[in-house]
Amino acid sequence: MNTVEIITAIIVIAIIALIIGIILSIAEKVFKVEVDEKEVAIREELPGSNCGGCGFAGCDALAAAIAKGEAPVSGCPVGGQPVAEKIAEIMGQEVGEIERKVAYVKCDGFCDNRETDYNYFGIDDCVYAAKMPGSSPYACKFGCLGFGSCVKVCDQQALRIIDKKAVVDENLCIACGKCLKVCPHNLIELIPADSKFRVQCSSEAKGKEVKNACTSGCIGCSLCVKNCPSDAIIFDNNIAKIDYSKCIQCGTCAEKCPAKIIKVYN
């Protein structure tokens, strides 16, 4: 290869590099994504657990929603009050006292008060066991299966199995919501940590059938609904449910419940 050919090759390469540089420069301007500085700052304050407890796909999605005003500054249940205050400062807002929530298992079916339908020898997994005949080896087809799928997904070790039923340690619970998503019977919900009265049953069966399956079941008498002075209890699918936004913690429901499945906490 002579000198002319070498120089020509260098010039061609230089021209190609220049063209590519121009194209990349234009592409950068055309496809540039504007970064919201507030969104970046909010994301840095979020814990990064990506648990989905906020209702969004993860921390990135929540940060974007807060920055756009589509989610409250208190949207992260894991971060709680400290994180909410930092995000509120970024957004130029004020945040009041945030209601702490905890996971609650709506079932009182321990080994000594519920009947067994058949012996189960499969995988120790609630999701798998729920696919078996009747969705449960127990007579109650709505209660806790007790194989610990919720325990396995809890990063805080706030859940454990006691006498074949999931129990929440509320001091450790951060209300991330992972346990809610994995429970095949939808027994777990997030409720105010200071809620004093709780319905410990999710059975949609009727009175006699409930009692034949579990001595701690709701019989559907609706006395709690009729006697609640604040209309805080509704009756849905044969089960009482408390609307904590209306509950005044008077205790009338627990007092009137003949089955004693509305328990007193705290």
Side-chain angles (χ1 to χ4, degrees):
M1 182 179 290
N2 57 42
T3 305
V4 175
E5 290 175 335
I6 294 173
I7 294 173
T8 301
I10 293 173
I11 293 173
V12 170
I13 293 173
I15 292 172
I16 292 173
L18 178 62
I19 293 172
I20 292 174
I22 293 172
I23 293 173
L24 291 175
S25 178
I26 294 173
E28 180 186 7
K29 294 179 180 179
V30 173
F31 298 106
K32 182 179 180 181
V33 178
E34 294 295 334
V35 178
D36 188 330
E37 293 183 0
K38 286 186 177 180
E39 180 182 332
V40 174
I42 292 169
R43 179 62 186 86
E44 290 178 353
E45 297 299 340
L46 293 174
S49 57
N50 292 309
C51 61
C54 58
F56 291 87
C59 294
D60 288 344
L62 176 60
I66 294 175
K68 294 175 183 176
E70 297 173 356
V73 294
S74 58
C76 177
V78 177
Q81 190 77 34
V83 169
E85 290 176 354
K86 292 178 181 178
I87 294 176
E89 185 177 349
I90 294 169
M91 293 295 292
Q93 300 177 12
E94 292 186 3
V95 58
E97 191 70 24
I98 297 175
E99 182 180 60
R100 179 175 175 262
K101 291 189 175 184
V102 293
Y104 173 63
V105 183
K106 300 174 291 182
C107 176
D108 196 37
F110 290 96
C111 290
D112 60 351
N113 57 9
R114 64 177 173 181
E115 299 296 324
T116 300
D117 206 5
Y118 58 85
N119 292 322
Y120 173 79
F121 298 103
I123 300 171
D124 283 350
D125 182 83
C126 299
V127 177
Y128 186 87
K131 296 178 181 178
M132 297 296 104
S135 79
S136 174
Y138 299 102
C140 176
K141 305 305 178 184
F142 302 92
C144 181
L145 290 159
F147 295 112
S149 291
C150 54
V151 176
K152 296 169 188 174
V153 299
C154 182
D155 297 327
Q156 308 301 315
Q157 298 183 331
L159 279 149
R160 55 180 173 161
I161 300 298
I162 299 177
D163 291 337
K164 290 293 183 179
K165 192 189 86 77
V167 177
V168 179
D169 183 338
E170 296 184 9
N171 292 321
L172 298 177
C173 180
I174 60 174
C176 69
K178 288 184 178 179
C179 55
L180 280 68
K181 296 175 182 178
V182 77
C183 178
H185 285 176
N186 298 314
L187 288 176
I188 309 176
E189 67 177 354
L190 296 180
I191 64 173
D194 62 354
S195 56
K196 193 173 181 180
F197 302 96
R198 305 176 186 179
V199 179
Q200 276 200 306
C201 181
S202 292
S203 176
E204 297 177 5
K206 295 185 178 180
K208 186 177 180 181
E209 183 181 348
V210 171
K211 284 303 180 184
N212 287 338
C214 178
T215 58
S216 296
C218 176
I219 59 176
C221 66
S222 73
L223 283 175
C224 54
V225 179
K226 296 173 183 176
N227 287 279
C228 179
S230 59
D231 296 324
I233 303 181
I234 59 173
F235 205 63
D236 184 31
N237 289 328
N238 294 319
I239 186 72
K241 298 180 180 180
I242 299 176
D243 181 346
Y244 290 105
S245 66
K246 296 180 180 180
C247 181
I248 58 174
Q249 311 274 19
C250 66
T252 301
C253 55
E255 179 185 342
K256 296 294 182 180
C257 178
K260 302 303 177 186
I261 59 101
I262 300 181
K263 301 293 180 70
V264 183
Y265 283 73
N266 300 325

